[in-house]
Amino acid sequence: MNRTSFLRSLQWPACLLVALAFTACTPDAPETPPPAAPALPELPPTPAFNADSAYAFVQRQVDFGPRVPGTPAHTACADWMVARLKAAGAEVIEQTGTVSVYTGQKLPLRNLFARWAPDRKERILLLAHYDTRPMADKDDERKNQPIDGANDGGSGVGVLLEIARHLAAKEHGPGVDILFTDVEDQGQPSGAMTLDDNSIDTWALGAQYFSKNPPVPGYQARFGILLDMVGAKDAVFYREAISMQFAPAVVAKVWKTAAALGHGERFVQETKYFVGTDDHVPINRTLRIPTIDIIEYHEATGAFHPSWHTHDDNMAVIDRASLNVVGSTVLEVVWKER
């Protein structure tokens, strides 16, 4: 190789280095951004909850008299509820059976299961019991006589019947089911609805029956909301401890919605352990549906409203504002589910 060829051979690596350096200094071409996710369609506005209507539904139940299973008043009230649900566009399944209460007495059971858009796989479950206590075991007088059950029984049903009026218009998101349980309040009179474990299984017999024998095979729901004793004046709702154990995300969803609607003072961000059992327990344990209990915690008693299981549980206890706080919150939660 002569000198000229040698020098030329050195020029190629030099040129290559210059080219590589130039390439390295050239900025990358801008990346094409990924396509934007399609915007979700706007939800229709949530219907207005009518507290006067809910109050009237509570009054109508009380007008039948105590709704103790096996009595004419109970039958007449259930017939009226079925008619109301069908008028609201629901498909209604009546689940009947016989259960034994703590005394050994057998009682007829009639759960009412109403469904809107039953063809939709995704579901939301709302529930309340409609039977009433056959005795006033927390009263000082007339202990062996049944109570009106305006709050304990009537209030949850009244709120859900008002919500039911709107469900036929819900064309988006999950279908909605309303379960009115029977034989919830026929348990052993020893305070077991609070913290006495010895007789817990004697309560919520209708919900136990439903959970073991769902009228729709393989029934499931995205979540459930139970309403119990939600109608008293100035009622305050703490995060109930069993609900926090089984369904904390559902509690958070409902309490956040209540705050957004301006009901934060009524739905308190604090957990209280004051319920021994209720209808949500078998729904959680047997059906595995994350279900919460919206139920009043009363500071003065450290548990339920003072009228609980007394003859004072009458229409004088019921307050439209409390019905509205709960009803508008639950209706908003249901309506915002896609």
Side-chain angles (χ1 to χ4, degrees):
M1 178 182 294
N2 59 28
R3 177 179 175 83
T4 302
S5 299
F6 176 74
L7 291 174
R8 286 177 179 171
S9 69
L10 293 177
Q11 289 174 353
W12 280 106
C15 292
L16 182 61
L17 288 172
V18 170
L20 289 173
F22 179 78
T23 302
C25 294
T26 303
D28 293 335
E31 293 184 4
T32 304
L40 293 173
E42 186 175 346
L43 292 173
T46 304
F49 182 87
N50 189 321
D52 289 330
S53 173
Y55 184 92
F57 288 144
V58 179
Q59 180 71 69
R60 187 71 183 90
Q61 294 170 79
V62 172
D63 289 344
F64 284 108
R67 283 82 65 208
V68 178
T71 65
H74 180 278
T75 300
C77 184
D79 290 345
W80 167 76
M81 290 165 63
V82 170
R84 290 296 320 173
L85 292 166
K86 289 182 176 179
E91 170 192 286
V92 181
I93 300 172
E94 297 191 43
Q95 184 182 47
T96 58
T98 303
V99 293
S100 297
V101 297
Y102 69 95
T103 61
Q105 178 188 6
K106 294 188 180 300
L107 288 180
L109 172 143
R110 186 182 179 187
N111 288 332
L112 309 178
F113 189 48
R115 314 192 79 204
W116 286 262
D119 55 314
R120 298 180 200 168
K121 182 178 179 181
E122 288 289 309
R123 317 295 304 166
I124 296 171
L125 176 63
L126 309 177
L127 64 156
H129 77 91
Y130 74 98
D131 65 307
T132 55
R133 190 76 174 141
M135 65 190 81
D137 45 301
K138 296 299 180 183
D139 210 320
D140 295 328
E141 300 178 356
R142 297 183 291 134
K143 283 180 172 289
N144 294 323
Q145 295 183 20
I147 65 172
D148 286 349
N151 193 33
D152 190 2
S155 63
V157 172
V159 168
L160 292 186
L161 284 177
E162 165 56 16
I163 289 175
R165 290 197 312 113
H166 305 284
L167 294 179
K170 185 179 182 294
E171 298 179 349
H172 62 282
V176 180
D177 302 317
I178 292 181
L179 171 62
F180 290 126
T181 61
D182 198 4
V183 201
E184 186 267 4
D185 221 353
Q186 314 303 309
Q188 184 174 337
S190 61
M193 275 293 284
T194 49
L195 305 178
D196 177 1
D197 291 337
N198 295 327
S199 58
I200 277 181
D201 287 342
T202 69
W203 300 84
L205 298 186
Q208 292 186 48
Y209 190 93
F210 177 89
S211 299
K212 294 173 183 174
N213 309 280
V216 176
Y219 179 72
Q220 273 298 305
R222 186 178 290 180
F223 60 85
I225 300 175
L226 166 64
L227 306 184
D228 196 0
M229 293 184 276
V230 296
K233 182 177 175 58
D234 299 326
V236 176
F237 306 98
Y238 287 76
R239 300 177 307 194
E240 185 270 325
I242 299 175
S243 303
M244 291 297 292
Q245 175 188 348
F246 285 107
V250 184
V251 174
K253 180 197 299 280
V254 173
W255 263 244
K256 181 180 179 180
T257 301
L261 293 177
H263 306 320
E265 290 185 358
R266 297 287 202 105
F267 281 77
V268 181
Q269 295 283 0
E270 181 181 341
T271 301
K272 295 285 188 182
Y273 179 35
F274 65 106
V275 175
T277 192
D278 208 343
D279 280 338
H280 64 321
V281 173
I283 301 294
N284 276 298
R285 287 182 174 163
T286 304
L287 291 178
R288 305 292 184 180
I289 297 172
T291 302
I292 70 168
D293 192 0
I294 301 179
I295 182 169
E296 179 187 2
Y297 173 81
H298 199 276
E299 290 283 356
T301 66
F304 306 135
H305 191 271
S307 66
W308 178 63
H309 289 184
T310 74
H311 293 293
D312 290 334
D313 186 0
N314 53 40
M315 287 304 297
V317 170
I318 302 301
D319 178 64
R320 288 173 175 82
S322 293
L323 297 175
N324 182 67
V325 163
V326 174
S328 61
T329 297
V330 173
L331 186 55
E332 179 77 2
V333 169
V334 168
W335 221 257
K336 289 298 185 282
E337 286 292 306
R338 295 181 180 272

